[in-house]
Amino acid sequence: MNTNMESRSGDSKGDQAKMEIAAEIERLLQGFPPDNQSESVEVDISNTSTPQVTPLVQKTVCYVVCALIMNEKQEVLMIQEAKGSCKNKWYLPSGRMEQNETIAEALRREVAEEAGYVCDLTTLLLIELRQGVPLWLRFTCLAQILGGSLKTEADDESLQARWCSRNDLGLLSIRANDILPLLDYGLAYTQFHGRKHGRIIPALNAHKHLLVRAVIVGRPLLGANAKVLVSGKGRAQHLPVVAIAQGEGLLCNTVGRLIKVLHLFTLTT
């Protein structure tokens, strides 16, 4: 009798965990942060022979901000580079974060220095990671103009700024084509804003390691429910968290360690 009662209790806790994970995934898909963002996060997978990255700005990590600002004509704000081998090339306003800066502060500083405008961050759009020493992360944010004027006089930060249509970009000498997908993501966000995505404003939290919270979905068979990778048992089931290790290579290698040791459960819809 006791065994059956414990079994039913365990099943109930597991079902409750599934419902909570499903709700968390729904929040993430809508562009909202996890409910437990302010709590300490338990790392599920960290047993690697390579030490975890301890983030020290300008030493072990390089944080880069990139501003994606569009006007009512869907033209994007571009700047002409003034430094080194990139001189005369065109790019989005961007640059490295300085020590003790937040993402929003760094974004406002870069836009003011390179484009002449006062701006405010409206949402964090994308985070990109490139392994190496130092580890490189770029935060691409949408922003809106609050004041200032378009930069037309050259200095050490940039030569000038201008508004460009997508067709205009094909006529410019672009520093790197990696900004073209960013423009596509930005347009998609503005078209769906209010219906699919919420605003994401970066939170300022002290951290000793760089962590990835993964949503990994197994492709279901026709008519079957999707399967989602989870960690923990019973009521403690949750989306898994893995620590980024130094020199691990691509981000997919980091997430790949999760797939080897965790299990899938069926996510009912």
Side-chain angles (χ1 to χ4, degrees):
M1 178 66 73
N2 289 340
T3 300
N4 290 336
M5 290 179 64
E6 289 175 0
S7 176
R8 293 193 194 98
S9 176
D11 292 342
S12 176
K13 291 179 179 179
D15 290 341
Q16 180 65 26
K18 291 179 182 181
M19 293 174 60
E20 291 178 359
I21 293 173
E24 183 176 1
I25 292 174
E26 181 63 27
R27 283 180 55 82
L28 294 174
L29 291 176
Q30 291 178 359
F32 296 100
D35 281 332
N36 62 344
Q37 62 171 333
S38 60
E39 301 174 4
S40 59
V41 178
E42 178 183 354
V43 179
D44 297 301
I45 307 297
S46 60
N47 56 339
T48 174
S49 58
T50 306
Q52 300 174 17
V53 174
T54 300
L56 299 172
V57 175
Q58 298 179 351
K59 294 181 179 180
T60 61
V61 294
C62 176
Y63 294 138
V64 175
V65 293
C66 182
L68 188 54
I69 303 175
M70 291 177 284
N71 61 18
E72 65 279 358
K73 299 178 182 178
Q74 296 298 298
E75 295 172 324
V76 65
L77 182 63
M78 299 284 291
I79 61 99
Q80 191 174 27
E81 299 278 7
K83 300 175 182 177
S85 61
C86 299
K87 188 172 183 178
N88 296 319
K89 303 286 187 180
W90 290 86
Y91 207 65
L92 294 173
S94 60
R96 297 182 181 184
M97 288 176 59
E98 298 177 354
Q99 290 184 345
N100 300 317
E101 266 190 327
T102 67
I103 293 175
E105 289 169 348
L107 192 82
R108 288 193 289 266
R109 175 179 55 77
E110 290 293 345
V111 171
E113 292 175 350
E114 296 185 343
Y117 285 117
V118 177
C119 76
D120 188 32
L121 186 155
T122 55
T123 190
L124 175 62
L125 183 67
L126 291 169
I127 301 175
E128 300 163 273
L129 181 146
R130 185 176 67 207
Q131 289 281 8
V133 181
L135 190 72
W136 180 93
L137 291 99
R138 179 166 67 180
F139 303 93
T140 298
C141 304
L142 292 180
Q144 61 181 348
I145 300 298
L146 299 180
S149 59
L150 189 68
K151 184 175 184 176
T152 57
E153 296 184 5
D155 58 22
D156 292 340
E157 298 295 336
S158 68
L159 300 181
Q160 61 176 316
R162 62 172 288 187
W163 295 97
C164 298
S165 68
R166 192 59 186 265
N167 291 334
D168 293 336
L169 295 179
L171 304 176
L172 298 178
S173 177
I174 303 296
R175 169 181 155 188
N177 289 331
D178 64 337
I179 63 172
L180 299 181
L182 305 184
L183 299 177
D184 293 335
Y185 281 114
L187 281 173
Y189 177 90
T190 56
Q191 291 171 358
F192 284 107
H193 182 54
R195 293 190 291 129
K196 186 175 181 180
H197 297 286
R199 295 179 64 204
I200 300 177
I201 305 300
L204 184 61
N205 289 318
H207 55 283
K208 296 181 180 180
H209 300 291
L210 296 178
L211 307 177
V212 176
R213 187 193 304 269
V215 181
I216 302 174
V217 181
R219 181 178 296 176
L221 298 174
L222 184 63
N225 289 317
K227 292 183 178 294
V228 179
L229 196 70
V230 299
S231 180
K233 296 180 179 180
R235 181 66 178 79
Q237 287 181 338
H238 56 273
L239 293 176
V241 176
V242 60
I244 296 175
Q246 292 179 1
E248 193 164 32
L250 300 175
L251 181 60
C252 61
N253 295 336
T254 300
V255 177
R257 287 191 281 118
L258 288 170
I259 299 175
K260 291 180 181 179
V261 298
L262 300 181
H263 64 281
L264 294 167
F265 76 67
T266 300
L267 178 64
T268 57
T269 56

